[in-house]
């Protein structure tokens, strides 16, 4: 394999959360991301799935340096981003962009669509004339399927799907090398979802973008990703190629997750074994000892409470963090 | 990249004809114009402001000229030019009221502008930068809050002597505190919005983000607060003048006139009623306008 | 089918807004049988929630409903507030997407549960407490006695939704209207909640109206499915028929553009072009025609009424023998 574009090593993002007490509250560490390592090569799409509180959004922001990492490294072409100063970081930002979940909230309500899309250009290509910027914005609007004549409209005048197209245009206008998509289609209607997924995939192929596709929707992730990483309470449970994850999941959490997804086919859906994961997600402030999934795991034994499972290889490019994956 | 345009939105075609969009400001303006009380407020307010600014030039009597022959003249005296009569010193009441309005409105505007500039800057920086800067600025605000206003004004008087400009300073120094708190609160909620994160991801610097994204978005709230601050300042000025800490004779303001009028309420109630009517009308209009703005800019409506 | 529990007849819902009236639901007729689970599928603005909020008398203040919603011989649309209050929470229960907004934040969960029993069943508070705790146990809330004393914000999203279901089931309702009950929940929790609703239906014989945008949820739960678009039903039928042989182009499009876990082709997803309609500017004729691949001249001029689609189903589409168009016709 060629040398990876992005190398994340033992990345930790912890927050201090105030707990209890009116005057002398104590602070508890919330381990949103707790020791993640993975590589991303050029033109690859890595899907990141997990339930709420698994740290998937925090991970995306920490990679883009929108949140400070507590420890660990995020290496971009071999250069550690966490060690850069502000000016150096800004120079790198033009290669890394993000598409957000809430299409309307991610657009400044006081700016026109054209200004929003042009913002990265104004920040990075200061030499461009305003006519050149205008031309680029129009071209971009056409590419994302918006009418260029809508350039002077404001976000509230667009539908959710159109707003997301504006967000994508803004992210793609600098032709970035890495795009973090944080639940880009979760807030959209079903019929719009497919349009936006296709748009993202078209860009990914055309510009050979590396993509981190963060989602709780396993069906969408399956469609768009080449590899998939399953997170639970800030830790990697399983990381493998798409077909391995969906075809031969090794981790009990991955298996449960896949079974829980409803399939839009009454025959298949009703024939499915009804195995439910018991209980609720534990509080991330007070994660279980050992394996974080053990409190809900059907295979948990005494060792799971004692030792944190390390990622083991379960095949080519297939890693599992479970004491019992061989069973 | 021909494949990238999978579906030009068909529904968009129908609205393609309208080239320019309607900004939130234009929307708000439309809503404001639909609000009758606010529009009436704006009209009356402009009339009073206009009269205060150019009125004194047009009247036959100056605000400090004493007409010994017509003391306590009853209105209307068209022959002498005392349209609203004179006060106990024979000064023209209309001229004094209009001139007083000039001073009151000026104090209101200037002190509010001062409060606006300081308050918005401090609030936006504290809210957006956060951390220690925020702590430091906000504790200073708390400290200033705890100083009683009259005490503060008296100290200023003692140190600098009585001075017209001191008035702005004293009032501005008090009014910006609330503005700073409001703007900081707004900025804190804005800071966590995704579009601010998007701006950072697009390479915007802190100053750039504050100017381009934070300020335009807090402006609505700030404008509402400004329309409510001006009457407060006018009241504050009259309060200080009433205590003898404000404007000095023969200069005057609405507050001073009301003070004088109150003294001769039993003999000559006009001297109280006329400036009081001007001032209350102005305050009413400003409050209606503020309410109208709040309704027009309220995001809940959108 | 057995006798119906809820009968909607020509139900319309309008909203008055500063920019003019909006017809959210137009002349909708529908019935739900005893013990049946009816899935209502649609995108935002399809009117799927407003239809049943109107039936429950819970429309926003600027909303206005006309038509009939017959439940137990009472027309809910015309009923006064006290009649509605007597039915809601008793024979007619509702579960919302966000349980936090439907539970009172400053009242203990237990109190909110017992209140329902005291109001509708005239139970003494100790008896109500026992019933409520038994119900919490039934919806598989761990340590029900402890949760009983908690405030809503102390519970996780999944537990709150369980509390809502417990509250809905307390009086043994004939009909539960579940409006996107699992949309805010994680997949594993969603599976648990759906299982609960399914068991309530099977064990208690409660009819369920399941409003959702998620086709997968409907596939697993519903007996019959109604697909809504722009305030109207475009297709109504048995769940197998809807999924295996959809008769309306919109239904077919929705199914085709949903990424599926059980089948991943690397190729582009099939899409429905365009946007969901703006209710204030509905196109003439069939509301779906600007996005429809099989549009005919007639569709632009006339609104298709609901007509038989074979197999007991109904469709609102002029196309005949839609089967002919099945293969590849919707591919862009």
């Amino acid at each position: 394999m060629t040398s990876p574009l992005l190398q994340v090593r033992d990345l930790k993002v912890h927050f201090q959360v105030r707990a209890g007490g009116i005057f002398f509250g104590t602070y508890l560490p919330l381990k949103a991301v707790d020791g993640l390592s993975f590589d991303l090569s050029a033109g690859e799409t890595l899907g990141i799935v997990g339930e709420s509180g698994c740290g998937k959004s925090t991970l995306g922001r920490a990679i883009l340096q929108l949140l400070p990492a507590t420890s660990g490294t995020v290496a971009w072409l071999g250069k550690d981003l966490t060690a850069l100063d502000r000016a150096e970081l800004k120079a790198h930002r033009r290669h890394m962009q993000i598409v957000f979940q809430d299409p309307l909230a991610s657009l400044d309500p006081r700016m026109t669509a054209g200004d929003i899309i042009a913002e990265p250009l104004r920040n990075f290509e200061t030499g461009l004339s305003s006519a050149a910027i205008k031309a680029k914005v129009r071209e971009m609007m056409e590419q994302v399927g918006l009418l260029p004549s809508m350039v002077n409209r404001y976000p509230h005048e667009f539908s959710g799907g159109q707003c997301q197209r504006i967000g994508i245009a803004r992210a793609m206008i600098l032709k970035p090398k890495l795009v973090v998509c944080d639940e880009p289609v979760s807030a959209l209607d079903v019929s719009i979802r497919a349009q936006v997924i296709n748009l993202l995939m078209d860009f990914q192929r055309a510009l050979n973008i590396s993509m981190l596709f963060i989602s709780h929707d396993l069906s969408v992730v399956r469609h768009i990703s080449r590899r998939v990483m399953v997170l639970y309470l800030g830790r990697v449970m399983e990381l493998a190629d798409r077909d391995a994850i969906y075809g031969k999941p090794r981790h009990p959490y991955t298996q449960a997750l896949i079974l829980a997804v409803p399939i839009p086919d009454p025959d298949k859906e009703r024939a499915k074994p009804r195995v439910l994961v018991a209980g609720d997600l534990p509080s991330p402030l007070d994660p279980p000892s050992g394996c974080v999934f053990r409190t809900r795991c059907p295979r948990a034994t005494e060792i799971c409470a004692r030792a944190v499972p390390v990622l083991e290889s379960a095949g080519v490019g297939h890693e599992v963090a479970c004491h019992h994956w061989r069973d | 990249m021909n494949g990238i345009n999978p579906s030009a939105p068909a529904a968009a075609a129908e609205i393609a004809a309208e080239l320019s969009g309607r900004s939130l400001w234009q929307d708000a303006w439309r809503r404001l114009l639909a609000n009758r009380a606010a529009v009436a407020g704006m009209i009356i307010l402009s009339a009073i402001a206009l009269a205060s600014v150019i009125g004194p030039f047009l009247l036959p009597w100056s605000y400090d000229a004493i007409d010994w022959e017509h003391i306590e003249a009853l209105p209307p005296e068209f022959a002498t030019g005392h349209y609203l009569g004179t006060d106990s010193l024979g000064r023209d009441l209309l001229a004094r009221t209009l001139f007083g309005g000039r001073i009151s409105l000026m104090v209101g505007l200037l002190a509010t502008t001062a409060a606006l500039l300081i308050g918005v800057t401090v609030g936006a920086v504290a809210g957006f930068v956060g951390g220690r800067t925020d702590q430091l600025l906000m504790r200073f605000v708390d400290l200033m809050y705890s100083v009683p206003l009259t005490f503060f004004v008296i100290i200023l008087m003692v140190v600098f002597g009585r001075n017209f400009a001191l008035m702005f300073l004293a009032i501005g120094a008090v009014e910006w505190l609330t503005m700073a708190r409001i703007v900081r609160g707004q900025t804190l909620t804005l800071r966590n919005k995704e579009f601010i994160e998007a701006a950072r991801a697009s390479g915007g610097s802190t100053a750039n983000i504050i100017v381009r994204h934070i300020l335009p978005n807090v402006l609505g709230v700030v404008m509402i607060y400004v329309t409510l601050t001006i009457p407060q300042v006018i009241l504050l000025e009259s309060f200080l003048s009433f205590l003898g800490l404000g404007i000095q004779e023969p200069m005057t303001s609405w507050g001073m006139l009301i003070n004088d009028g109150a003294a001769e309420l039993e003999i000559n109630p006009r001297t109280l009623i006329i400036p009081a009517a001007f001032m209350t009308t102005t305050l009413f209009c400003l409050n209606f306008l503020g309410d109208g703005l709040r309704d027009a800019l309220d995001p809940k409506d959108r | 089918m057995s006798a119906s529990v809820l009968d909607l007849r020509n139900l319309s819902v309008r909203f008055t807004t500063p920019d003019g009236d909006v017809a959210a639901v137009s002349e909708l007729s529908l019935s739900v049988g005893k013990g049946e689970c009816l899935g209502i599928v649609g995108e935002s603005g399809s009117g799927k929630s407003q239809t049943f909020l109107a039936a429950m008398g819970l429309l926003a203040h600027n909303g206005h409903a006309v038509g009939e919603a017959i439940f137990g011989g009472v027309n809910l649309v015309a009923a006064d507030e006290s009649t509605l209050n007597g039915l809601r929470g008793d024979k007619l229960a509702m579960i919302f997407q966000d349980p936090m907004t439907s539970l009172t934040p400053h009242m203990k969960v237990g109190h909110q549960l017992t209140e329902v029993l005291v109001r509708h069943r005239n139970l003494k508070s100790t008896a109500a407490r026992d019933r409520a705790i038994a119900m919490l146990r039934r919806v598989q809330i761990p340590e029900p006695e402890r949760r009983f004393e908690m405030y809503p914000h102390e519970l996780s999203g999944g537990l709150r939704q369980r509390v809502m279901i417990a509250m809905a089931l307390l009086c043994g309702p004939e009909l539960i209207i579940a409006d996107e009950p699992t949309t805010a929940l994680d997949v594993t929790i969603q599976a648990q909640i759906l299982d609960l609703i399914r068991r309530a239906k099977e064990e208690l014989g409660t009819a369920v109206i399941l409003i959702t945008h998620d086709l997968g949820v409907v596939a697993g739960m519903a007996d019959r499915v109604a697909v809504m678009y722009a305030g109207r039903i475009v297709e109504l039928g048995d769940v197998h028929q809807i999924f295996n042989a959809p008769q309306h182009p919109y239904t077919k499009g929705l199914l085709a553009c949903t990424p599926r876990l059980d089948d991943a082709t690397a190729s582009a997803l099939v899409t429905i072009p365009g946007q969901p309609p703006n209710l204030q500017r509905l196109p003439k004729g069939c509301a779906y025609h600007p996005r429809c691949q099989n549009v005919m001249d007639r569709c632009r001029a006339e609104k298709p009424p609901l007509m038989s689609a074979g197999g007991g189903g109904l469709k609102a589409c002029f196309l005949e023998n839609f089967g002919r168009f099945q293969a590849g016709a919707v591919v862009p």
Side-chain angles (χ1 to χ4, degrees):
Chain A
M1 205 161 66
T2 52
S3 88
L5 202 64
L6 185 76
Q7 270 182 312
V8 177
R9 288 291 171 272
D10 200 27
L11 182 69
K12 291 185 182 176
V13 185
H14 296 179
F15 300 108
Q16 297 294 315
V17 177
R18 216 186 128 106
I22 300 169
F23 296 109
F24 303 102
T26 49
Y27 286 85
L28 290 175
L30 190 157
K31 299 180 177 173
V33 171
D34 201 23
L36 293 190
S37 304
F38 65 90
D39 291 346
L40 186 67
S41 45
E44 181 186 39
T45 301
L46 174 66
I48 298 176
V49 290
E51 299 178 276
S52 54
C54 75
K56 52 193 194 295
S57 290
T58 309
L59 172 67
R61 283 162 172 75
I63 287 171
L64 295 181
Q65 306 300 310
L66 292 172
L67 279 176
T70 310
S71 70
T73 58
V74 177
W76 172 258
L77 294 169
K79 199 162 199 176
D80 184 11
L81 294 177
T82 59
L84 296 184
D85 65 27
R86 226 180 257 193
E88 291 173 305
L89 190 60
K90 187 184 166 183
H92 280 87
R93 281 220 193 281
R94 69 168 300 158
H95 304 301
M96 296 179 269
Q97 287 297 320
I98 178 164
V99 176
F100 293 95
Q101 171 172 14
D102 185 337
L104 194 58
S106 63
L107 308 179
D108 187 334
R110 307 272 174 200
M111 280 165 77
T112 61
D115 282 338
I116 291 168
I117 298 172
E119 192 169 20
L121 280 179
R122 295 215 168 92
N123 284 332
F124 285 107
E125 306 208 349
T126 40
L128 278 183
S129 69
S130 63
I133 290 182
K134 212 174 220 171
K136 281 206 167 197
V137 167
R138 284 173 167 271
E139 185 195 346
M140 203 64 213
M141 286 181 80
E142 261 168 34
Q143 280 183 14
V144 297
L146 291 168
L147 293 173
S149 60
M150 298 170 101
V151 66
N152 288 323
R153 292 176 162 260
Y154 290 84
H156 66 110
E157 299 175 277
F158 290 95
S159 68
Q162 290 173 321
C163 282
Q164 197 58 295
R165 287 171 194 270
I166 297 175
I168 292 171
R170 169 177 61 192
M172 300 296 176
I173 198 160
L174 290 172
K175 302 198 167 40
K177 298 199 175 89
L178 169 71
V179 174
V180 173
C181 298
D182 186 8
E183 304 259 12
V185 297
S186 318
L188 303 178
D189 271 319
V190 185
S191 73
I192 302 302
R193 208 173 273 189
Q195 297 174 3
V196 171
I197 292 172
N198 283 350
L199 184 65
L200 284 169
M201 289 180 82
D202 285 344
F203 269 112
Q204 195 264 333
R205 269 192 291 260
L207 301 175
N208 198 31
I209 293 169
S210 306
M211 207 184 268
L212 279 183
F213 194 91
I214 299 167
S215 179
H216 69 274
D217 188 330
L218 280 93
S219 316
V220 172
V221 167
R222 169 161 207 179
H223 184 79
I224 205 167
S225 313
R226 190 197 297 172
R227 279 195 306 151
V228 178
M229 180 157 84
V230 181
L231 297 185
Y232 188 79
L233 287 186
R235 308 232 182 111
V236 181
M237 297 289 108
E238 191 162 4
L239 172 63
D241 286 349
R242 173 184 61 193
D243 295 336
I245 283 276
Y246 289 93
K248 257 195 274 169
R250 297 293 193 178
H251 198 286
Y253 179 59
T254 317
Q255 293 166 353
L257 213 50
I258 289 173
L259 266 184
V261 177
I263 297 168
D265 180 331
D267 303 318
K268 283 192 189 173
E269 177 62 16
R270 282 162 210 227
K272 231 166 52 172
R274 229 169 271 300
V275 194
L276 295 177
V277 194
D280 250 335
L281 282 148
S283 160
L285 283 174
D286 182 22
S289 65
C291 173
V292 279
F293 184 58
R294 73 175 163 85
T295 49
R296 303 173 73 194
C297 182
R299 289 192 229 157
T301 55
E302 151 287 326
I303 185 176
C304 302
R306 249 188 310 115
V308 178
V310 287
L311 272 177
E312 292 174 41
S313 172
V316 182
H318 193 151
E319 291 177 277
V320 191
C322 179
H323 294 297
H324 302 297
W325 68 267
R326 284 182 187 82
D327 306 353
Chain B
M1 286 207 286
N2 282 334
I4 273 181
N5 196 348
S7 53
E14 54 172 302
I15 35 178
E18 302 171 34
L19 278 182
S20 74
R22 228 175 42 214
S23 75
L24 294 178
W25 295 118
Q26 287 161 300
D27 268 356
W29 182 240
R30 243 175 5 107
R31 271 191 293 254
L32 189 66
L33 289 186
N35 184 333
R36 265 188 231 150
V39 172
M42 274 192 284
I43 293 171
I44 299 174
L45 206 59
S46 327
I48 291 180
L50 205 68
S52 301
V53 173
I54 55 172
F57 296 119
L58 303 177
L59 290 174
W61 295 94
S62 151
Y63 73 98
D64 54 354
I66 296 172
D67 182 356
W68 296 104
E69 275 139 50
H70 299 91
I71 287 175
E72 306 258 352
L74 287 176
E77 291 212 11
F78 293 106
T80 55
H82 297 301
Y83 302 118
L84 290 178
T86 59
D87 65 5
S88 57
L89 290 176
R91 294 176 295 195
D92 185 60
L93 205 54
L94 181 60
R96 283 185 73 71
T97 305
L98 290 185
F99 189 82
R102 204 192 258 187
I103 298 289
S104 284
L105 289 176
M106 193 161 74
V107 172
L109 272 179
L110 287 184
T112 306
T113 311
L116 180 79
L117 292 179
I118 308 174
V120 169
T121 315
V122 170
V125 170
F128 190 71
V129 178
R132 198 160 291 172
T133 320
D134 181 28
Q135 287 284 323
L136 214 69
L137 287 171
M138 285 346 262
R139 289 303 79 76
F140 179 69
V141 167
D142 291 344
L143 195 78
M144 291 293 290
Y145 254 120
S146 59
V147 180
L149 174 68
T150 34
F151 175 72
F152 183 65
V153 173
I154 291 169
I155 294 277
L156 282 178
M157 299 271 168
V158 170
V159 178
F160 297 105
R162 283 188 81 155
N163 185 342
F164 185 64
L166 221 54
M167 192 85 152
F168 300 133
L169 209 84
I171 296 176
V174 175
E175 291 296 332
W176 73 265
L177 301 172
T178 317
M179 182 73 85
R181 281 194 174 168
I182 290 175
V183 172
R184 173 178 174 268
Q186 287 288 316
T187 309
L188 280 180
T189 44
L190 280 177
R191 190 172 70 160
N192 296 325
K193 284 267 169 70
E194 285 185 341
F195 70 84
I196 298 294
E197 223 169 6
R200 282 213 290 149
S202 314
S205 63
T206 303
N208 181 314
I209 292 173
I210 291 182
V211 172
R212 275 182 75 85
H213 299 284
I214 301 276
L215 290 186
N217 280 291
V218 295
L219 214 57
V221 182
V222 167
M223 266 168 58
I224 294 165
Y225 186 66
V226 161
T227 53
L228 301 175
T229 304
I230 297 175
Q232 263 180 42
V233 171
I234 293 177
L235 278 175
L236 206 60
E237 181 274 327
S238 42
F239 167 67
L240 289 176
S241 297
F242 193 87
L243 292 179
L245 293 170
I247 311 285
Q248 272 181 306
E249 290 279 5
M251 283 250 268
T252 193
S253 69
W254 283 339
M256 291 264 302
L257 288 170
I258 291 170
N259 183 19
D260 293 347
E264 38 190 301
L265 177 62
E266 287 170 21
I267 333 161
N268 195 356
R270 285 176 300 114
T271 50
L272 173 66
I273 292 169
I274 290 167
F278 268 83
M279 182 157 119
T280 23
T281 312
T282 306
L283 300 192
F284 252 124
C285 291
L286 279 167
N287 280 318
F288 277 136
L289 186 59
D291 272 357
L293 272 179
R294 187 171 20 214
D295 290 346
L297 293 165
D298 198 334
K300 261 183 297 185
D301 212 28
R302 289 201 286 279
Chain C
M1 204 196 312
S2 52
S4 59
V5 182
L6 178 70
D7 251 317
L8 305 182
R9 289 179 204 149
N10 287 324
L11 184 71
S12 297
V13 180
R14 296 187 76 80
F15 285 91
T16 331
T17 72
D19 304 320
D21 276 16
V22 178
V25 181
S26 309
E27 292 162 14
L28 187 135
S29 298
L30 187 66
S31 68
V32 189
K34 266 201 166 60
E36 178 189 40
C37 179
L38 174 69
I40 309 285
V41 182
E43 299 181 89
S44 55
S46 62
K48 59 187 191 300
S49 295
Q50 298 306 336
T51 304
F52 295 97
L53 284 176
M56 296 281 280
L58 295 174
L59 281 180
H61 62 96
N62 61 341
H64 179 68
V66 289
E68 286 177 73
I70 311 289
F71 177 82
V74 181
N75 178 8
L76 299 174
V77 173
D80 58 21
E81 200 56 21
S82 69
T83 317
L84 284 174
N85 281 337
L87 288 171
R88 285 191 298 234
D90 184 9
K91 294 263 163 271
L92 192 57
M94 195 147 185
I95 304 170
F96 293 95
Q97 172 175 350
D98 181 2
M100 201 58 201
T101 55
S102 28
L103 289 168
T104 313
H106 62 266
M107 254 162 85
K108 285 180 182 168
V109 164
H111 189 86
Q112 304 193 39
L113 286 167
T114 48
E115 200 185 54
V116 177
L117 286 169
V118 173
R119 177 157 19 103
H120 291 299
R121 288 286 176 273
N122 270 327
L123 285 188
K124 291 230 169 42
S125 64
T126 46
R129 188 191 145 88
D130 293 344
R131 278 273 285 277
I133 288 181
M135 188 52 82
L136 287 180
R137 189 168 289 125
R138 183 161 190 163
V139 296
Q140 296 163 347
I141 289 181
E143 305 173 81
E145 286 86 359
R146 203 162 69 82
R147 312 284 179 195
F148 191 82
E149 299 296 331
M150 283 183 158
Y151 289 95
H153 69 92
E154 297 176 282
L155 302 175
S156 69
L159 280 182
R160 279 201 288 269
Q161 201 57 291
R162 280 171 197 268
V163 170
M164 277 306 293
I165 293 176
M167 197 182 285
L169 293 178
L170 266 180
C171 294
E174 285 172 29
L175 174 65
I176 296 179
I177 297 175
D179 189 356
E180 303 268 8
T182 58
T183 305
L185 303 175
D186 285 315
V187 238
T188 53
I189 310 295
Q190 163 170 293
Q192 297 169 358
I193 298 294
L194 290 179
D195 194 53
L196 268 181
I197 297 178
R198 190 181 294 123
R199 283 186 19 209
K201 178 195 156 215
E202 279 161 12
E203 291 167 17
L204 307 172
T206 312
V208 178
I209 293 176
L210 183 67
I211 304 167
T212 178
H213 68 277
D214 190 330
L215 290 165
V217 169
V218 170
M221 300 282 294
D223 302 315
R224 278 194 310 148
V225 179
V227 183
M228 286 185 69
Y229 190 80
R232 291 170 188 272
I233 292 177
V234 293
E235 186 165 2
L236 174 67
D238 175 75
V239 65
H240 296 277
Q241 190 192 333
I242 293 277
F243 280 86
N244 298 335
Q247 293 300 306
H248 194 285
Y250 177 61
T251 316
K252 184 166 168 51
L254 268 190
L255 282 168
C257 74
T258 307
R260 291 173 65 143
L261 192 69
D262 55 334
D263 145 62
T265 41
S267 62
L269 285 169
V270 173
T271 61
I272 301 179
Q275 312 283 330
N278 179 340
L279 291 175
Q280 278 171 317
R281 273 180 292 187
L282 278 187
K284 204 170 166 320
C286 171
Y288 184 63
H289 88 251
R291 306 177 75 186
C292 185
Q293 303 285 326
N294 306 313
V295 61
M296 305 176 290
D297 285 342
R298 196 177 174 193
C299 310
R300 298 192 181 93
E302 270 179 75
K303 273 199 197 330
L306 268 181
M307 53 188 111
S308 168
L314 295 171
K315 61 168 182 177
C317 182
F318 293 124
L319 272 182
E320 280 167 41
N321 302 322
F322 185 52
R324 284 196 291 125
F325 295 90
Q326 298 266 350
V330 196
V331 176

